[in-house]
Amino acid sequence: KKMLSDKILVISPLLCVKKSEIMDYLKENGIKYAVDKTNFDTSYTRNWLRHKIIPEIEKRYSGFGKRIIDLSKKLSRVLG
């Protein structure tokens, strides 16, 4: 978590939340969706993984992303 200003709190990453859930929340609460253009720059390792590697793994192992999210939740509970 980090404060961008006295009114903006950023919580990242939201691994356990689907993008569709975020979009629904924003719509229900009248909040404008904003895009960080660096999210598409694959020179950043996180984006290279997200846009190149994980889709390839998903092709071979359906449900990979969900299993990673489940593992992340379990680790979060264990590590506190």
Side-chain angles (χ1 to χ4, degrees):
K1 293 181 184 181
K2 70 178 177 180
M3 294 297 297
L4 289 184
S5 72
D6 59 338
K7 294 182 181 182
I8 300 174
L9 171 65
V10 175
I11 302 171
S12 180
L14 294 172
L15 295 176
C16 61
V17 183
K18 295 179 184 176
K19 184 174 182 179
S20 61
E21 294 173 308
I22 294 169
M23 299 305 286
D24 289 344
Y25 176 86
L26 295 174
K27 185 176 180 181
E28 290 168 12
N29 291 278
I31 301 170
K32 183 180 175 186
Y33 178 69
V35 176
D36 176 353
K37 291 183 174 135
T38 66
N39 285 344
F40 303 101
D41 183 349
T42 56
S43 67
Y44 293 99
T45 301
R46 70 179 190 275
N47 295 331
W48 173 73
L49 289 166
R50 182 184 302 138
H51 297 294
K52 303 288 184 183
I53 302 303
I54 292 174
E56 290 301 314
I57 295 171
E58 280 280 352
K59 287 178 186 175
R60 183 170 287 195
Y61 302 103
S62 179
F64 172 79
K66 182 181 179 323
R67 288 193 289 272
I68 291 295
I69 290 168
D70 292 343
L71 177 60
S72 173
K73 287 178 184 177
K74 288 176 185 176
L75 284 172
S76 181
R77 285 193 298 270
V78 170
L79 299 175

